[in-house]
Amino acid sequence: MNGYERIKSALSGVMPDRRPVMLHNFMPAIREAGYTMKEYRTDPGIAAECHIRYAEKYDLDGVLFDVDTAIEASAIGVPVDYPDDEPARTHEIFLHSLDEVDRLAGIDISQHPRIQHSLEAVRLLKKHFGNELFIRGNCDQAPFSLACSMRGPENFMVDLLTDEENVMRLLEYATGICRQFIRLMAGVGADMLSNGDSPAGPSMISPDMYEKFAFSFEKELVEEAHRCGLPYLLHICGDTRLILPQMDRLDADAVELDYKTPVESIYEVFAGRTALFGTVDPSGVIALGTPETVREECLKILETYRCNPRLVLGAGCAIPPMAPEENIRELVRCAHSDIIYQRT
């Protein structure tokens, strides 16, 4: 099997010949290739090169293409900071009132330079790897997260409690933007689509608020990806135990969750039909740990999924740029020589 086939097998619930690996690794890939974040986010050829070199060096099974969490926001006009060697980030309130949503109607994001950059980089990755490695095109923020960027986190949290009607209008608008990006990413050949919605997790809002203000809009993205004929993954950071049963109802093909959610809890909810991408701690273990601590964390995950094919081993969130080579190699080695897996 090649990497593409392994990840396809994991998503479909069929045991591959070895555990596949996909890493949330754009920052260490940039550093190892000798480029700046500015060069990566402005030149799709450089962006693709960074991932190609990293995937081939470490024998990865797939590539997650990501840039930052401000692509859609910038495409609709939210002010964004662009540090030379850090990911871009929103920095000002864009909507000073929920009444301003109506002036945004009809925005077409397809020709925005940042959208075009992501699409071209994924096209180049797919052209290079074909069906040898599995290409996941991340479509930036999910609706709740995008709305939060537009209003600013503090304002948006107040909005949720004081103006439900207009919050719903904002979320419907944000969903339309997200659906545009999904269709565009599907059109350039990505093998899988994903979004991140970390502000919708329990660290920010209650499970009841997640149900009301995030769930149905995330589900629309799942359905949009499926209409495009592609599997879909949702990423949420933090401890998501309180909303795992609700996330299961999304009917997503995969989830990417981080180390703060115990892998046993993830397995209990998702093992029957939803693949897990993760969940090694990207900072404390991969970036700042040792090969021994990487091995310990990998073995915990591999032990939990011993008889289940629905696992793609990796980090549960973005790996910091200083992650040492020996730790990345140890993670891949654990997956490829998984003794637990081999004796099932």
Side-chain angles (χ1 to χ4, degrees):
M1 280 185 164
N2 60 30
Y4 174 87
E5 293 165 336
R6 290 186 190 102
I7 294 180
K8 287 279 285 186
S9 292
L11 288 167
S12 61
V14 177
M15 280 289 190
D17 60 341
R18 69 186 191 195
R19 292 291 188 189
V21 176
M22 177 183 282
L23 298 177
H24 200 149
N25 65 312
F26 72 99
M27 288 188 284
I30 295 167
R31 178 167 291 189
E32 285 205 18
Y35 292 108
T36 65
M37 190 72 223
K38 179 180 180 180
E39 291 170 317
Y40 174 89
R41 68 169 166 255
T42 55
D43 187 325
I46 287 175
E49 178 193 340
C50 291
H51 285 285
I52 290 166
R53 291 169 63 173
Y54 203 89
E56 293 179 344
K57 175 179 178 178
Y58 292 104
D59 194 18
L60 304 183
D61 296 288
V63 171
L64 160 56
F65 183 76
D66 197 12
V67 185
D68 51 56
T69 58
I71 298 173
E72 292 166 324
S74 61
I76 60 176
V78 178
V80 174
D81 280 333
Y82 297 102
D84 282 353
D85 216 12
E86 294 179 23
R89 53 184 176 265
T90 56
H91 69 97
E92 291 182 19
I93 296 171
F94 179 54
L95 294 181
H96 295 278
S97 165
L98 289 174
D99 294 333
E100 297 177 18
V101 174
D102 290 339
R103 68 178 171 83
L104 303 175
I107 290 180
D108 177 2
I109 66 170
S110 64
Q111 299 306 309
H112 191 275
R114 300 208 67 210
I115 297 292
Q116 283 292 313
H117 169 273
S118 290
L119 299 177
E120 178 62 9
V122 169
R123 188 191 68 79
L124 291 171
L125 286 166
K126 190 63 181 174
K127 179 181 179 181
H128 179 84
F129 287 117
N131 285 342
E132 290 297 317
L133 266 63
F134 193 87
I135 309 301
R136 171 181 151 197
N138 193 49
C139 299
D140 198 31
Q141 296 176 298
F144 188 93
S145 180
L146 179 56
C148 193
S149 292
M150 296 168 71
R151 282 286 286 142
E154 292 183 6
N155 289 335
F156 192 54
M157 292 301 113
V158 174
D159 293 338
L160 298 177
L161 298 173
T162 60
D163 195 352
E164 180 178 328
E165 180 180 350
N166 282 318
V167 164
M168 288 299 187
R169 290 173 56 238
L170 176 58
L171 288 167
E172 288 167 2
Y173 169 78
T175 302
I177 297 297
C178 296
R179 290 174 64 183
Q180 282 189 57
F181 202 1
I182 281 177
R183 291 192 296 269
L184 291 165
M185 188 65 77
V188 295
D191 299 311
M192 182 181 199
L193 306 171
S194 63
N195 292 91
D197 212 11
S198 291
S203 60
M204 291 284 284
I205 60 175
S206 70
D208 286 345
M209 295 178 80
Y210 172 81
E211 182 76 26
K212 180 180 291 186
F213 297 113
F215 173 83
S216 62
F217 302 102
E218 292 171 352
K219 192 169 180 63
E220 285 193 46
L221 303 192
V222 177
E223 293 168 351
E224 189 68 49
H226 289 171
R227 280 192 289 271
C228 293
L230 293 175
Y232 181 86
L233 176 150
L234 179 68
H235 166 83
I236 296 182
C237 290
D239 186 345
T240 55
R241 277 177 288 182
L242 292 175
I243 60 170
L244 291 180
Q246 291 157 291
M247 293 180 69
D248 184 46
R249 289 169 33 230
L250 289 169
D251 296 325
D253 303 276
V255 291
E256 182 180 75
L257 303 172
D258 73 23
Y259 71 100
K260 292 182 181 179
T261 304
V263 69
E264 297 83 3
S265 299
I266 298 169
Y267 188 89
E268 182 179 350
V269 173
F270 292 115
R273 62 176 182 156
T274 306
L276 170 65
F277 283 55
T279 60
V280 184
D281 177 356
S283 297
V285 174
I286 296 178
L288 301 176
T290 64
E292 291 71 27
T293 56
V294 171
R295 186 182 313 118
E296 289 172 6
E297 293 304 307
C298 288
L299 290 177
K300 290 177 185 177
I301 299 166
L302 294 168
E303 174 66 39
T304 301
Y305 273 78
R306 171 189 296 226
C307 299
N308 194 300
R310 297 184 186 275
L311 173 67
V312 178
L313 192 64
C317 198
I319 300 172
M322 67 287 195
E325 177 175 337
E326 58 267 26
N327 287 359
I328 302 297
R329 291 199 182 279
E330 185 59 31
L331 187 152
V332 175
R333 187 180 300 116
C334 286
H336 290 181
S337 60
D338 179 8
I339 297 173
I340 295 169
Y341 179 78
Q342 291 172 358
R343 69 170 183 249
T344 59

